[in-house]
Amino acid sequence: MILCDIGNSTFDFFYDNHTIKLDINTNYLPDFEDDKDVYFISVNEMATHKLKQKYTNAINLAQKIKFETSYTGLGIDRAVVCSYIKDGLIIDAGSAITVDLMENGKHMGGYILPGLKTMHKTYKEISPKLDVPFDMSELIGLPLNTKDAINYGIFHAIFLPLKQSAISIKNVIVTGGDGELISKHISHSKYDKNLIFKAMERIINAHNSLAQR
Amino acid sequence: MILCDIGNSTFDFFYDNHTIKLDINTNYLPDFEDDKDVYFISVNEMATHKLKQKYTNAINLAQKIKFETSYTGLGIDRAVVCSYIKDGLIIDAGSAITVDLMENGKHMGGYILPGLKTMHKTYKEISPKLDVPFDMSELIGLPLNTKDAINYGIFHAIFLPLKQSAISIKNVIVTGGDGELISKHISHSKYDKNLIFKAMERIINAHNSLAQR
């Protein structure tokens, strides 16, 4: 079984307990043995098309998940990870950072921040003078140069909302490409690298056991 | 006397107690009477060149201000407004938001956040699905649709750092294109639209009275 999570900027494969991350613009998707099933979720139509051309029998899990929420337009990746958690705050940190709250199996809503690297890139688009190296070490005191001033800005713009959201939540799970970095700065959070794939697996297994009855 | 503050995205003129805001890409700078002095500050070299071509005698105030700070690479606009304030937090909200602290006439440092509209633009660059209308009304409860999820993200990413910085500061002054909007959400702050021009005027007057001695 091969799992693929197509995000805004990457293909993330999970195969044989290994992950393979490829830029969304790649023209070379990996070769797997012919008889392997490919299951995927996607928030990117162009990339979905590319995947289906390579793996002609690929199965879109969006059609197999039943996730109820009052939220209009929830991304399939958020629905999949949220369906895996009964109670807790789920932070998925990629090119965007999505934050979702589950309470007793019910999705309570959520919000979206730009990702850390997206924020960093934003500054140099304001002015080439603001093009400085990315550095998430926590600063003490007010910055005294442009590099620190920008990294301090990114740090506080992203971590203050996340910390505020997490403050009264016992179960805080962080995943995604920047999940490990973000988890380090939210003291009581847990980093779960493969949350999305565990959730996809559970949906597939539930579906297959239903089909076998 | 004509004053001009050249930022990253606009020319801001102050003339006859009126302001004139022009996009940085304009090819049509206003015609003033020949004998008027044009004083300017700039963080944008291309635009400085454009200004000097139009007003050949324009005077760069950067050469007339003496502002001591341990901060390396402080933008001239920040130095000018800070030099006007003895004690307080100065928030200048344009395409970038600069935050600077003055204590007893000493610049203590500062940091840079992306501007509100810059943040908003960032989302649609992550994905066209995140292209929603900008709306800074404060939300109650967790968002239940993409538009609210994004505006909630922008709101908290920008206002939590600003509120945290302002919390123990008596004199909080907000200026710049989004200054009025930002000031509304920081309860004890004052909005001063023309802070930069008042500061420029004071530098010019001090310099002229010195020259006349």
Side-chain angles (χ1 to χ4, degrees):
Chain A
M1 187 160 74
I2 294 138
L3 306 177
C4 182
D5 167 27
I6 307 179
N8 292 307
S9 59
T10 53
F11 288 95
D12 280 297
F13 286 94
F14 189 70
Y15 171 57
D16 214 8
N17 242 341
H18 287 79
T19 52
I20 305 168
K21 191 184 274 294
L22 295 168
D23 189 279
I24 209 75
N25 299 312
T26 182
N27 287 317
Y28 302 99
L29 293 175
D31 287 311
F32 298 109
E33 296 160 45
D34 276 353
D35 61 347
K36 294 282 181 196
D37 290 326
V38 176
Y39 293 91
F40 73 94
I41 55 167
S42 174
V43 294
N44 186 320
E45 279 170 46
M46 176 277 291
T48 306
H49 182 72
K50 212 183 265 186
L51 186 98
K52 282 172 140 181
Q53 278 201 313
K54 174 79 182 180
Y55 317 109
T56 48
N57 294 321
I59 297 159
N60 190 345
L61 270 189
Q63 293 142 13
K64 300 199 188 298
I65 173 181
K66 212 183 136 197
F67 181 68
E68 282 176 30
T69 176
S70 312
Y71 191 110
T72 315
L74 191 74
I76 184 67
D77 47 349
R78 291 168 73 184
V80 166
V81 290
C82 284
S83 73
Y84 191 73
I85 307 294
K86 199 180 164 210
D87 279 288
L89 190 77
I90 303 117
I91 300 172
D92 189 349
S95 45
I97 300 172
T98 55
V99 185
D100 285 282
L101 182 64
M102 291 294 290
E103 270 180 25
N104 201 21
K106 192 173 176 320
H107 182 239
M108 307 304 288
Y111 63 94
I112 310 172
L113 292 166
L116 287 171
K117 291 176 195 88
T118 305
M119 277 288 277
H120 177 245
K121 210 168 62 181
T122 294
Y123 283 87
K124 69 177 170 192
E125 281 162 19
I126 301 171
S127 163
K129 285 179 189 161
L130 304 185
D131 187 4
V132 299
F134 182 60
D135 178 2
M136 267 306 99
S137 34
E138 206 163 351
L139 283 161
I140 311 227
L142 272 179
L144 288 170
N145 61 66
T146 308
K147 174 178 170 276
D148 288 351
I150 286 172
N151 283 293
Y152 183 103
I154 300 171
F155 188 90
H156 287 83
I158 299 302
F159 285 98
L160 289 179
L162 295 180
K163 283 179 178 176
Q164 196 191 57
S165 298
I167 206 160
S168 60
I169 312 290
K170 215 172 158 185
N171 187 28
V172 179
I173 308 146
V174 193
T175 190
D178 286 326
E180 195 168 9
L181 174 56
I182 284 185
S183 182
K184 273 183 197 157
H185 292 282
I186 303 175
S187 56
H188 64 300
S189 70
K190 283 168 287 188
Y191 169 58
D192 189 340
K193 188 185 173 187
N194 295 323
L195 183 64
I196 187 87
F197 300 120
K198 287 185 206 167
M200 287 173 75
E201 250 168 10
R202 197 167 77 180
I203 292 164
I204 296 161
N205 291 338
H207 198 264
N208 289 348
S209 73
L210 267 179
Q212 277 161 15
R213 271 188 209 168
Chain B
M1 185 161 74
I2 295 139
L3 305 177
C4 182
D5 168 27
I6 306 178
N8 293 307
S9 58
T10 54
F11 288 93
D12 280 297
F13 286 94
F14 189 70
Y15 172 55
D16 214 6
N17 242 343
H18 287 77
T19 52
I20 305 166
K21 191 184 275 293
L22 295 168
D23 189 279
I24 210 78
N25 299 312
T26 184
N27 287 316
Y28 302 98
L29 292 174
D31 287 311
F32 298 109
E33 297 160 44
D34 276 353
D35 61 346
K36 294 282 180 193
D37 290 328
V38 176
Y39 293 92
F40 73 95
I41 55 168
S42 174
V43 295
N44 186 320
E45 278 171 46
M46 176 276 290
T48 305
H49 183 72
K50 212 184 265 185
L51 185 99
K52 281 172 140 180
Q53 279 202 314
K54 173 79 182 180
Y55 316 109
T56 47
N57 293 321
I59 297 159
N60 191 346
L61 270 189
Q63 293 143 13
K64 301 199 185 298
I65 174 182
K66 211 183 139 198
F67 181 69
E68 281 176 31
T69 176
S70 313
Y71 191 111
T72 315
L74 192 74
I76 184 68
D77 46 351
R78 291 167 73 184
V80 166
V81 289
C82 285
S83 73
Y84 192 71
I85 307 294
K86 199 180 165 209
D87 278 288
L89 190 75
I90 302 116
I91 301 172
D92 188 349
S95 46
I97 299 172
T98 55
V99 184
D100 285 282
L101 182 64
M102 292 293 292
E103 270 179 26
N104 201 21
K106 192 174 177 317
H107 182 240
M108 306 305 289
Y111 64 95
I112 309 173
L113 293 165
L116 288 171
K117 292 177 195 89
T118 305
M119 277 288 277
H120 177 247
K121 209 168 64 180
T122 294
Y123 283 86
K124 70 176 171 193
E125 281 162 20
I126 301 171
S127 163
K129 284 179 190 162
L130 303 185
D131 187 4
V132 299
F134 182 61
D135 178 2
M136 267 306 99
S137 33
E138 206 164 352
L139 283 161
I140 312 231
L142 271 178
L144 289 169
N145 61 66
T146 308
K147 174 178 168 275
D148 288 353
I150 286 171
N151 284 293
Y152 183 103
I154 301 170
F155 189 89
H156 286 83
I158 300 301
F159 285 98
L160 288 179
L162 295 181
K163 282 178 178 177
Q164 196 191 57
S165 298
I167 206 159
S168 61
I169 312 290
K170 216 171 157 185
N171 186 29
V172 179
I173 308 147
V174 192
T175 190
D178 287 325
E180 194 167 10
L181 174 57
I182 284 186
S183 181
K184 273 184 197 157
H185 292 282
I186 303 174
S187 55
H188 65 299
S189 70
K190 284 169 285 186
Y191 169 57
D192 190 338
K193 189 185 172 188
N194 294 323
L195 182 63
I196 187 88
F197 298 120
K198 286 186 207 168
M200 286 173 75
E201 249 168 12
R202 197 167 75 180
I203 292 164
I204 296 161
N205 291 338
H207 198 265
N208 289 348
S209 73
L210 268 178
Q212 276 161 15
R213 269 188 211 168

